[in-house]
Amino acid sequence: MKLNQHYQELQESYLFSDIAKKVADYQQKHPTADLIRLGIGDVTRPLVPNVVEAFEKAVKEQGTPEGFHGYGPEQGYDFLRKAVQDYYASFEVELPLEDIFISDGAKSDVGNILDLFAKDNRVLIPNPVYPVYLDTNLMDGREIVYLNANLENGFLPMPEQGEKADIIYLCSPNNPTGAVYTKKQLAQWVEYARKQDAVILFDAAYEAFVREAGLPRSIFEIEGAKECAIEFCSLSKTAGFTGTRCGYTVVPEELVREGVSLRKMWLRRQTTKFNGVSYPVQRAAAAVFTPEGMEQCRENLRVYQENAQCMAATLEELGIWFTGGKNSPYIWMKCPEGMTSWEFFDFLLEKAGIVGTPGSGFGSNGEGFFRLTAFNTKEKTQQAMERLKALLRKD
Ligand code: PLP
């Protein structure tokens, strides 16, 4: 019996436990302090009524002989795949139904997709990054090359000609930086990937936060992307499904490597290792895409977007450099006065009772930066920004 020794190469992540420890210490010392949490990466608003209604109806169906559903298709029910297909069509991306695979969320599929690739591929991963991309590749022992995201490139790294890559991770709008690629920039990535015969794994979990016209929500808005990309999306942030679990992955028919269809491989993988998302959850997910569902979800998103706007306006007023906020629930700010990420964390907690996330926890290039999230209430976010202004205003 031999274990997968690559697990020993994973670094234990102490980020959120260290934050929790510091917050607990603070609360013990200041039992009456009114803490404001702007480090939350989870949504806080409940499922919308249209979704709850569809969810309840489907649960009741499961309790009747005529409405009962047993094992469903591994790749998802057509009623939901069709809803996703229409959603893509609304931003002019045409997809055949067979390209769309329903999942229990983006995290699982981002990890599971690696079943399709050999272990000796070279993987390009941004730094800072959503840690799942890195850890899932470390578990398989793949060679990793870091893509430097930094102040100079506005945390939107571009391909370096001459750098060899087989698998490329891109996330836009980005977690943790909130930065969003333009179509022109994504077109450069598509061109680079095609030249290298590489595959782009595109994480669009935050696409619903894109507000500015002309910014891409899907890599498939770029010509030629279907020949070199797989896209992961999620209802977690779009519709508050973090605890309900549903997402979708698009593997285009056109994506072929070594003469083999990746869509066919993914179907084979899913039908072997996955038994689909539960029927009531898929009914609830389909309700998100109805006109009423969309409008109700948009109202929730609007709250987060207004929070992000409020934070962005505050940082602009204070003259602090940041990315994100406009098309993303995340704000990635430069720590003032040359503080490190953890120094600013302590400073903000002690002096203003605000909890955020140190940027260094997402990779070495995050040192000196700090992530704020828009998932608290409007009132708490506004209150936090008033405290920030009082703390950091120069005059
Ligand atoms: N991708 C990114 C970039 C994320 O930030 C997250 C969650 O925070 C996920 C994927 C996970 O999404 P899901 O809840 O669908 O698994």
Side-chain angles (χ1 to χ4, degrees):
M1 201 290 295
K2 291 197 180 77
L3 292 174
N4 179 352
Q5 289 301 330
H6 294 303
Y7 275 63
Q8 310 306 322
E9 290 151 27
L10 297 170
Q11 283 206 338
E12 220 40 74
S13 173
Y14 297 113
L15 178 64
F16 290 99
S17 58
D18 284 353
I19 291 174
K21 225 179 288 159
K22 278 178 183 272
V23 170
D25 282 352
Y26 175 85
Q27 281 178 314
Q28 203 169 24
K29 277 191 226 143
H30 312 271
T32 55
D34 178 20
L35 266 188
I36 304 180
R37 294 176 192 271
L38 298 183
I40 316 169
D42 197 351
V43 291
T44 49
R45 299 185 67 79
L47 294 176
V48 300
N50 209 55
V51 165
V52 174
E53 197 183 308
F55 209 173
E56 276 178 345
K57 186 165 167 258
V59 169
K60 288 201 175 112
E61 269 183 70
Q62 287 294 75
T64 64
E66 41 316 324
F68 174 74
H69 289 72
Y71 290 125
E74 290 89 344
Q75 58 276 44
Y77 284 104
D78 277 357
F79 65 77
L80 180 53
R81 297 169 96 197
K82 179 85 181 64
V84 173
Q85 184 184 45
D86 292 346
Y87 181 63
Y88 270 92
S90 73
F91 40 87
E92 278 150 41
V93 174
E94 302 300 329
L95 297 174
L97 222 54
E98 295 75 18
D99 288 8
I100 301 165
F101 295 82
I102 304 303
S103 72
D104 63 350
K107 189 184 194 173
S108 344
D109 274 11
V110 162
N112 293 337
I113 201 78
L114 293 174
D115 276 8
L116 272 48
F117 303 105
K119 310 270 193 265
D120 57 353
N121 281 301
R122 206 157 188 260
V123 188
L124 224 52
I125 294 184
N127 172 7
V129 75
Y130 173 58
V132 175
Y133 313 151
L134 179 63
D135 287 351
T136 50
N137 278 288
L138 287 177
M139 284 172 179
D140 283 351
R142 282 192 194 84
E143 184 192 358
I144 289 161
V145 183
Y146 290 100
L147 254 175
N148 283 315
N150 49 35
L151 265 183
E152 287 69 49
N153 56 33
F155 287 89
L156 291 169
M158 295 306 297
E160 280 180 30
Q161 304 308 327
E163 181 80 80
K164 172 80 189 104
D166 302 306
I167 298 170
I168 302 160
Y169 284 86
L170 298 177
C171 175
S172 178
N174 191 273
N175 178 17
T177 71
V180 188
Y181 280 114
T182 62
K183 282 188 184 167
K184 207 167 147 203
Q185 288 171 319
L186 281 187
Q188 284 182 47
W189 274 113
V190 166
E191 190 194 342
Y192 170 80
R194 289 171 57 122
K195 252 192 221 154
Q196 308 248 348
D197 241 2
V199 174
I200 296 174
L201 301 179
F202 190 80
D203 189 337
Y206 297 94
E207 61 80 22
F209 287 85
V210 171
R211 288 186 306 153
E212 273 173 80
L215 283 178
R217 292 164 157 254
S218 161
I219 193 156
F220 300 124
E221 291 181 53
I222 311 302
E223 209 185 312
K226 285 187 177 174
E227 277 121 56
C228 67
I230 293 174
E231 180 159 293
F232 304 90
C233 204
S234 168
L235 294 181
S236 282
K237 309 296 155 86
T238 307
F241 269 56
T242 50
T244 304
R245 312 303 307 144
C246 197
Y248 41 94
T249 295
V250 179
V251 189
E253 184 181 12
E254 293 86 342
L255 185 59
V256 174
R257 290 291 179 276
E258 300 176 346
V260 178
S261 153
L262 271 75
R263 187 178 85 179
K264 207 169 159 200
M265 278 179 84
W266 182 241
L267 179 64
R268 190 71 175 87
R269 191 265 170 214
Q270 290 300 78
T271 50
T272 304
K273 293 198 186 179
F274 184 56
N275 247 340
V277 176
S278 88
Y279 171 72
V281 168
Q282 291 195 59
R283 279 288 177 204
V288 169
F289 296 104
T290 60
E292 310 78 54
M294 274 288 170
E295 188 39 47
Q296 291 171 1
C297 288
R298 249 182 245 126
E299 241 166 74
N300 274 351
L301 287 174
R302 229 170 273 142
V303 174
Y304 302 139
Q305 284 165 334
E306 281 169 16
N307 287 346
Q309 254 174 321
C310 166
M311 295 193 287
T314 304
L315 294 178
E316 263 161 24
E317 196 182 318
L318 290 168
I320 294 174
W321 188 96
F322 68 96
T323 54
K326 294 188 181 78
N327 301 284
S328 153
Y330 298 120
I331 293 252
W332 181 254
M333 62 179 282
K334 188 159 174 18
C335 300
E337 318 279 345
M339 280 188 249
T340 66
S341 300
W342 277 110
E343 280 168 355
F344 186 57
F345 176 91
D346 291 334
F347 177 74
L348 209 54
L349 179 61
E350 287 294 331
K351 306 279 184 205
I354 299 171
V355 184
T357 313
S360 54
F362 300 99
S364 56
N365 283 350
E367 182 56 278
F369 292 86
F370 202 74
R371 192 189 74 172
L372 299 174
T373 76
F375 294 122
N376 210 317
T377 61
K378 181 179 175 180
E379 295 68 31
K380 289 279 178 198
T381 306
Q382 283 177 345
Q383 211 183 332
M385 290 305 105
E386 289 311 314
R387 291 186 195 176
L388 199 68
K389 276 189 227 172
L391 187 65
L392 298 177
R393 196 176 273 133
K394 291 258 164 39
D395 49 54

